[in-house]
Amino acid sequence: MLFIFLGANDARLPSKEDSSTLEEYQSSLHAIISLLRDPASEYYSPKTRILIITPPPIGELMIQSYTPTFAADPFVFNNRTRLFAEMAKQVAREANVPSIDLYSEIENRVREEQATGTWVSRYDGYDNYLVDGVHLNNKGNMLLYNLILTTFKAVWPEMLPKSLPS
């Protein structure tokens, strides 16, 4: 089993050292998959199951509070991350591997909480899922765990603990 969960740092604005272009990100995802699927690769493992997980959305207000020098337009940063999430889903389709759209799952929950007033914070609700505006907190990790479990049930039910030999 290989989870490919990349992109939050790659999606940083191009002026950052650890950022990538969308094309570099796409190429990297394909390269990782090829390592396991290409018979000429020393890491060839045709039975390894691969799951791509999109990067989560970015809590810009949280990043601004942790990094006062953060000067990006508050919507550009998350919009750029959305493009990386879309690319991750595209690569999953192209490579015929399942994916989890963590970006949309968190965005939809944050928007619903904002609309219903069930989560009020100075960080627009992203602190319900992110610890620092980029990385998942306990609730974000539990959400991801449940999404992984749902994916296993749908795609690889034989991999669930109750299905494995004891």
Side-chain angles (χ1 to χ4, degrees):
M1 174 58 56
L2 174 66
F3 295 167
I4 302 175
F5 187 21
L6 304 170
N9 287 319
D10 297 275
R12 293 177 66 168
L13 296 174
S15 62
K16 300 295 182 185
E17 289 178 18
D18 57 351
S19 69
S20 299
T21 66
L22 201 53
E23 294 75 21
E24 289 169 335
Y25 178 68
Q26 178 184 31
S27 177
S28 294
L29 293 176
H30 277 296
I32 292 167
I33 294 167
S34 292
L35 285 172
L36 297 174
R37 291 211 169 150
D38 182 355
S41 168
E42 67 178 290
Y43 304 104
Y44 179 60
S45 181
K47 293 183 181 180
T48 297
R49 294 176 177 145
I50 301 169
L51 175 64
I52 293 179
I53 303 168
T54 69
I58 301 301
E60 294 96 347
L61 294 176
M62 293 179 78
I63 292 174
Q64 289 174 358
S65 73
Y66 287 103
T67 311
T69 58
F70 182 79
D73 179 316
F75 296 100
V76 171
F77 198 69
N78 208 23
N79 281 343
R80 182 170 159 82
T81 304
R82 180 184 50 76
L83 295 174
F84 278 70
E86 292 298 325
M87 182 57 72
K89 293 188 303 184
Q90 178 183 320
V91 169
R93 286 189 301 273
E94 292 169 356
N96 197 29
V97 300
S99 66
I100 292 174
D101 187 358
L102 184 60
Y103 181 93
S104 294
E105 289 287 340
I106 292 176
E107 275 294 309
N108 291 339
R109 283 171 169 75
V110 166
R111 286 189 181 134
E112 182 178 323
E113 291 163 357
Q114 289 170 342
T116 61
T118 56
W119 184 262
V120 179
S121 76
R122 63 184 188 147
Y123 299 122
D124 293 334
Y126 288 95
D127 50 327
N128 204 18
Y129 301 94
L130 305 170
V131 69
D132 59 2
V134 178
H135 302 99
L136 299 175
N137 63 16
N138 289 340
K139 186 173 182 177
N141 278 307
M142 282 305 299
L143 172 61
L144 178 56
Y145 166 78
N146 287 318
L147 293 169
I148 289 170
L149 193 57
T150 299
T151 301
F152 269 63
K153 287 177 183 176
V155 180
W156 303 302
E158 71 280 4
M159 295 292 292
L160 293 170
K162 67 179 181 180
S163 302
L164 297 174
S166 48

